[in-house]
């Protein structure tokens, strides 16, 4: 079309030379990573139930693992995964209704999900440790 | 899921939207909404009511009827949700037909077997000898 100029605010697809990191990309990939992490977490929870049912001797090594450093860090990370996946899952469900997809809104809520994933496990840990 | 969500053309050809994609999409979201409540309940109540990962604390927790029912619900809904989700991950990243089929098969069987075992474990703790 003669005289047509490219509007400045037209969305541009990612391209080798025109590209920057967006928090919404991190939020998308984190949803997947935490979902896969929680898959492992659910298998762990089911394993826990089965060794409990199998009796105290069977539970012994499992309980020692959970109480040890790897188990404790693992549980902490699982709570972080859960908090992120929960907050971002709600974000996805809101997107499904057609809301919150303006880039600035999507970025704000992505940051919120990330901050929630940092704050929630600290909060829960503090509540368990100091809450009596 | 029923085939009612498919397009007429898809239904005739038995391709595209006639497959299970839409059902999975809906199932993923319905189970997400259920987990929003059930999984949040479990994380909070397990962390706050058990002091430490001891055998007795676990038995105490599992043998309360409310907790037992909640656990069984969590197992059923979470394993359904994560199976659907992981199926999508496999479809996205694994392209060799044999590896893809093998992983999808594993992703169906493992949650099923684990769910049966874990639900039986909850029942055993409550009604076992
Ligand atoms: C023309 C170029 C591109 C197109 C058409 C494209 C398209 C897409 C689509 C359709 C999705 C899935 C969105 C969803 O899950 O709702 C996606 C996800 C994603 N894209 Fe792109 N993309 C492009 C380039 C890029 C580039 C250059 C990067 C980064 C270097 C990138 C990073 C990502 C990430 C991190 C995800 C999330 C992946 C996941 O959930 O596993 N994309 N992209
Ligand atoms: C123990 C609990 C959970 C497990 C094991 C789990 C696992 C997964 C997995 C593996 C995926 C696929 C990720 C992908 O395709 O990128 C997924 C997707 C999803 N999850 Fe979860 N999840 C859990 C809890 C939740 C909760 C509580 C919510 C809701 C608030 C939720 C909302 C979603 C949504 C909306 C999707 C689809 C995302 C999309 O379309 O890209 N999940 N989940």
């Amino acid at each position: 079309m003669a005289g047509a100029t490219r509007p400045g605010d037209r969305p541009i697809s990612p391209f080798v030379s025109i590209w920057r990191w967006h928090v919404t990309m991190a939020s998308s990939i984190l949803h997947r990573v935490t979902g896969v992490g929680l898959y492992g977490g659910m298998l762990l929870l089911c394993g826990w139930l089965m060794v409990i049912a199998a009796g105290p001797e069977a539970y012994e090594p499992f309980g020692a693992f959970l109480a040890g450093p790897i188990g404790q860090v693992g549980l902490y990370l699982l709570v972080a995964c859960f908090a992120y996946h929960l907050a971002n899952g709600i974000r996805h469900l809101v997107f499904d209704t057609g809301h919150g997809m303006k880039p600035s809104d999507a970025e704000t809520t992505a940051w919120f999900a990330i901050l929630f994933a940092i704050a929630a496990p600290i909060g829960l840990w503090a509540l368990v440790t100091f809450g009596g | 899921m029923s085939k009612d969500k498919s397009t007429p053309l898809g239904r005739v050809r038995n391709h595209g939207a006639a497959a299970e994609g839409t059902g999975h999409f809906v199932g993923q979201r319905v189970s997400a909404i259920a987990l929003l409540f059930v999984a949040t309940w479990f994380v909070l109540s397990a962390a706050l009511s058990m002091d430490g990962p001891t055998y007795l604390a676990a038995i105490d927790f599992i043998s309360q009827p409310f907790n037992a029912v909640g656990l069984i619900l969590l197992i059923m809904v979470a394993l359904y949700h994560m199976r659907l989700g992981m199926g999508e991950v496999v479809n996205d990243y694994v392209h060799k037909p044999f590896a893809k089929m093998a992983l999808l098969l594993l992703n169906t069987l493992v949650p099923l077997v684990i769910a049966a075992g874990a639900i039986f474990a909850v029942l055993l703790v409550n009604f076992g000898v």
Side-chain angles (χ1 to χ4, degrees):
Chain A
M1 232 185 294
T5 51
R6 163 191 269 266
D9 58 354
R10 186 201 280 170
I12 302 169
S13 66
F15 197 70
V16 222
S17 58
I18 317 168
W19 184 79
R20 75 182 164 89
W21 187 256
H22 288 268
V23 66
T24 43
M25 297 175 184
S27 79
S28 168
I29 194 69
L30 271 176
H31 194 75
R32 180 156 282 196
V33 170
T34 53
V36 173
L38 289 170
Y39 193 110
M42 276 310 294
L43 296 184
L44 192 75
L45 169 67
C46 290
W48 176 76
L49 289 168
M50 288 187 264
V51 292
I52 297 274
E57 306 83 47
Y59 179 74
E60 173 51 45
F62 200 94
F65 172 75
L66 283 186
I70 302 179
Q72 291 291 294
V73 172
L75 285 176
Y76 188 87
L77 288 179
L78 277 176
V79 174
C81 279
F82 179 71
Y84 180 81
H85 198 89
L86 176 75
N88 199 59
I90 295 174
R91 191 166 160 264
H92 266 275
L93 294 174
V94 173
F95 285 161
D96 290 342
T97 70
H99 295 86
M101 292 204 279
K102 213 176 81 191
S104 57
D105 291 347
E107 291 196 1
T108 308
T109 52
W111 276 116
F112 174 79
I114 292 170
L115 292 179
F116 182 70
I118 296 172
I122 298 177
L124 188 62
W125 173 80
L127 206 59
V128 169
T129 312
F130 306 115
Chain B
M1 283 286 166
S2 85
K3 297 216 162 172
D4 297 340
K5 292 178 232 56
S6 60
T7 63
L9 181 62
R11 220 171 301 142
V12 169
R13 289 188 170 164
N14 211 15
H15 275 316
E20 295 150 297
T22 314
H24 284 178
F25 180 89
V26 173
Q28 186 91 46
R29 270 129 194 99
V30 172
S31 57
I33 293 168
L35 282 174
L36 184 76
F37 298 101
V38 182
T40 307
W41 159 77
F42 172 74
V43 171
L44 291 181
S45 123
L48 296 177
S49 71
M50 284 189 271
D51 37 291
T54 67
Y55 181 74
L56 284 181
I59 292 281
D60 257 11
F61 182 82
I62 301 166
S63 50
Q64 285 168 42
F66 186 89
N67 294 349
V69 172
L71 275 169
I72 293 175
L73 273 177
L74 174 67
I75 294 163
M76 295 195 302
V77 182
L79 273 73
Y80 173 69
H81 177 90
M82 73 195 213
R83 175 186 164 261
L84 284 182
M86 190 63 94
E88 191 155 326
V89 175
V90 169
N91 275 313
D92 280 355
Y93 299 139
V94 183
H95 305 301
K96 297 203 176 74
F98 181 78
K100 188 197 214 93
M101 283 324 282
L103 285 176
L104 289 177
L105 188 66
L106 214 60
N107 184 48
T108 298
L109 296 182
V110 169
L112 250 182
V113 172
I114 295 288
I119 290 172
F120 181 67
V122 173
L123 296 178
L124 201 64
V125 167
N126 279 275
F127 307 115
V129 274

